[in-house]
Amino acid sequence: MFKRLPRRQSTSSSLALTAATPTSVVPSLAPLPFQRSNPQVIQLQDVDLLSDLVILVMGATGGGKSTIINILAGGSCETPIIPINSTLEPCTDFTVVRVSSSQGTLCFIEVPEMKDAPFSQLYQRYNVIGIIFIHKVIDSRVSGELLRDMEEIKRCCNEDPLLASHIVCITTHWTSDQYDDDQELCIESQLMGSDELWGRQHREEGLVFKRFALEKPREVVDVLDHLLERERLPGKVISKECKEDEVWASRDWKIVVAMGMTGAGKSNFIEKAGGIVRIDPNAHLLESRTQSIQAYKVHINGHKLILVDTPGFNDTHRSDYEILKTIATWLESTFRHQALVSGVLYFHRITDNRMSGTAVSNINVFQGLIGKGLVYRNIKIVTTMWDHDLKGVGDTRENELREEYWGQMTKGGASVVRFHNTHESAKEILKSFRTDWHIQQALQLQVEMVKHHHQLKETKAGQLMYSKLEQLLSEHNELLNRLRKEGNNRYTAHPDYVRLMESLKEVQRDMAVLQLGFGSKLKVFFTKR
């Protein structure tokens, strides 16, 4: 399937193969306005998802993609970085050239015309800062493969209009350095004006056209200047899940830990912030989505963050003690490897119309875990579910929470922020940490477990968890007595009784683990002194 453009006079084969013949070597250039060095051809899988700045070079076979990459990467007539294809056979593999520059590490990825790799996959996977799309101005038709790529790019532009300003369309194979051939100008006009091709809308949004002839290589260099000068795409976020040892080794990354009750929106926030898509069949259910610690490296507009998703209290499958133990083990291990936390996010649903005893106990445990002092400045209390119908009580409820329940933290420097369930909102919350990034302080639980050699039950958080379980045990016993009074001799068959007894056994088991013996009490007492 082809989109036809105005027919032109037949062109000599030498012109038709300008970018594909052995004579199409890279012209020597005067010094470029930016510094680049150490060009090397690498494999696609070796492109660093987070640190490499990627420019995709796409277009028709024989259009001059390799020639343009050679010029941009600093090749010369004598030593082209990548060989120019001297046959009419289309290239079927990606070619990647990495080069160091004053702007960062650049990777030029040549995308074969016939490669079944949708643009959106490349755009989402890599830290793409620009797209160079090449058209042969001598072609009177556009192939179905190119139309597919163009449609994919335009679809992404419709989702993010700012992307258009990061696209440069280069027309090649001009027959003279004066660019005055009527047929070629007519084809260029069709490419620029036809809505079936690039169209006016995307040009108005910033997409630009450039012309390239070997006699004027400087114009290609101007293309790179143009792309490097573009402001990074605000919605462009690169993220990847990372293992625990990667967290320890990433000294120049800022660790931000998300905590709170199950269903408060921790996982959703991290997904919105990092553009992370996790296929979760239970996402619509009122169940915990996070059963273990999950860390994600997220690169947002030059900020290197490690977002840590933790299991929430009031989990549907695990006790609060087990959740605390999971979080404590991770924090202890992180501190032992000298990786300090730069920020903590505590999540709370603004839709909750009351603060239950369990919710208050969870705040107490959280405060016991983090400690006091300067660390409060690195805490954001994030209220979620603002996109629900709050019937005008959201502001009042937030003020009440701020004064009555979060007062100790806010007076110490913690701030209350709203998450509006969008990427922009998540990004603004994370950006608000920037002024206090330098305050990297160990949390109280980390100091207790590593420096004071306490067991979890001997820590402040562990003791507060024990107090919470004592309260829960009292509530369970009251409910049990009520069932006995209301159910006469048949209360043991009541469904609530069965669930209550299971929960009661779980609470008693966890209390036995957290109960301090005489030796532990002495140890805690003298440590406090």
Side-chain angles (χ1 to χ4, degrees), residues 31 38 50 115 145 152 162 203 237 266 279 299 441 486 513:
N38 192 31
L50 295 169
K115 200 69 174 178
E145 288 78 12
E152 188 79 8
L162 290 172
R203 289 183 60 205
V237 177
K266 300 182 299 296
I279 300 173
H299 199 290
Q441 184 175 337
E486 295 174 354
V513 176

Side-chain angles (χ1 to χ4, degrees), residues 26 29 32 36 39 69-76 79 81 99:
V26 183
L29 291 172
L32 295 177
R36 76 269 187 268
I69 289 177
N70 271 319
I71 292 174
L72 296 179
S76 65
T79 57
I81 299 165
V99 59

